[in-house]
Amino acid sequence: MIDPLITMRVVHFASTVMVAGATLFVCFIAEPAFQAVGEPPWRVVRPFRGRLFGLLSASLVLAVVSGAGWLLLLAAKIGNQSLSEAITEGTAWVLLTQTRFGLDWQLRLLLAVLLAGSLLLERRTPSRWLDLFAALAGSIFIAALAWAGHGAATSGIAGDVHLGADIFHLIAAGAWLGGLIPFVLLVRLLRHSDEPGWATIACAVVSRFSNLGIIAVGTLLVSGTINAWFLVGGPVNWTGTGYGRLLQLKIALFVGMICLAAVNRQYLMPHLSADISGYDPERRTRTARKMERNAMLEVTLGLAVVVVVAMLGITQPATEAHVHVH
Ligand code: HEM
């Protein structure tokens, strides 16, 4: 049977990545692309904002519920108790109120409440300031996970470097992976709209998101290498430990995602921008549909990465494992 803590971590990482990614996407990709065309295409903007509000609200609720589940399952594991005993005998309360993990969870709950408030306000009176606030709160919400992971276990200056790398790693993961579904949602709405300039807006969205993707991939590679440096150690640990093999699988999935993103950027994006002046609207639509399909394949691989991450975080780091050299 799969460890319920792994399942809860998968749900929590996935929903937290969604919250961070969607708030960053609205603030740095969608709204600037809408503003860039002078009169925003309201037949696209309104349904986009509506669906994103639904997606963000559901993700925020899922993140809070799975966060509570993570805490309870961890308390039961630490106390070697059943879930109900962990509650009735106060282990969960002690974990929440007297540990760094608990303090981190309290801070993240406060951020979730502030985020919910800003989303409700944004719903009534959209404003760039609220977009910025939500993007900042969403980034801190995911970055604060670093205090609950292996990144917080290293001491001294090395510990600061490890924790810093993990914080950047988490924000980059949120920006890229969490931005993919809003990206598909927006390009699909544009493609289905009969807005005369839909392809121009789609091009602006694609190039902005692709630039953000490049920054995120670079950050994931550098911060991931630093993480691996602290948690894997020597080459024999990559093959000789469960942790090392899990991380290899993660990197293979990551390479798959980069290949899909590269097809969108290097091959389909030039096609879409070339098609704008063309007189074949069908071709524009086909190109946009291929981009959406590739992005959804990236989401699928990204979800597999999140499953591996959920396992990595509760697997003994390779640096601590004893490797049998045959
Ligand atoms: C799509 C790409 C990636 C995503 C979405 C991703 C996501 C994550 C997340 C959410 C964490 C958990 C951090 C925590 O609990 O503190 C993490 C940890 C980690 N990541 Fe990545 N990552 C990606 C790529 C990479 C790459 C390319 C590397 C290596 C070069 C890497 C190496 C690591 C390591 C070593 C950890 C620490 C795991 C642990 O807690 O023991 N990641 N990653």
Side-chain angles (χ1 to χ4, degrees), residues 13 150 166 169-170 173 224 227-228 231 243 250 254 257 305 309:
F13 277 122
H150 284 143
D166 209 27
H169 198 75
L170 284 156
N227 264 343
L231 296 163
Y243 190 94
K250 182 183 177 185
F254 173 68
M257 290 176 73
V305 166
V309 164

Side-chain angles (χ1 to χ4, degrees), residues 91-260:
T91 320
W93 181 251
V94 168
L95 183 61
L96 180 66
T97 56
Q98 294 173 28
T99 67
R100 184 180 58 194
F101 177 90
L103 213 61
D104 187 26
W105 249 220
Q106 289 179 45
L107 166 76
R108 299 187 66 237
L109 181 61
L110 174 66
L111 281 164
V113 173
L114 290 174
L115 255 170
S118 78
L119 294 178
L120 289 169
L121 262 181
E122 168 81 17
R123 194 84 186 108
R124 286 179 41 200
T125 49
S127 94
R128 287 302 280 147
W129 287 111
L130 282 172
D131 292 343
L132 268 171
F133 175 81
L136 183 64
S139 302
I140 303 173
F141 186 63
I142 195 168
L145 274 171
W147 277 269
H150 284 143
T154 311
S155 55
I157 296 184
D160 298 341
V161 173
H162 192 179
L163 193 67
D166 209 27
I167 288 170
F168 280 102
H169 198 75
L170 284 156
I171 297 174
W176 182 24
L177 189 48
L180 285 165
I181 290 181
F183 169 77
V184 171
L185 195 64
L186 183 50
V187 175
R188 185 167 291 166
L189 277 170
L190 284 164
R191 176 168 64 82
H192 285 300
S193 78
D194 47 15
E195 284 286 330
W198 76 263
T200 310
I201 306 169
C203 253
V205 169
V206 172
S207 75
R208 278 175 177 275
F209 187 58
S210 177
N211 293 340
L212 178 96
I214 289 178
I215 298 167
V217 166
T219 308
L220 282 165
L221 260 179
V222 173
S223 58
T225 306
I226 294 173
N227 264 343
W229 170 267
F230 283 106
L231 296 163
V232 182
V236 68
N237 291 356
W238 282 90
T239 48
T241 66
Y243 190 94
R245 290 190 291 272
L246 265 178
L247 192 54
Q248 286 186 56
L249 171 61
K250 182 183 177 185
I251 295 170
L253 293 164
F254 173 68
V255 171
M257 290 176 73
I258 291 182
C259 296
L260 288 162

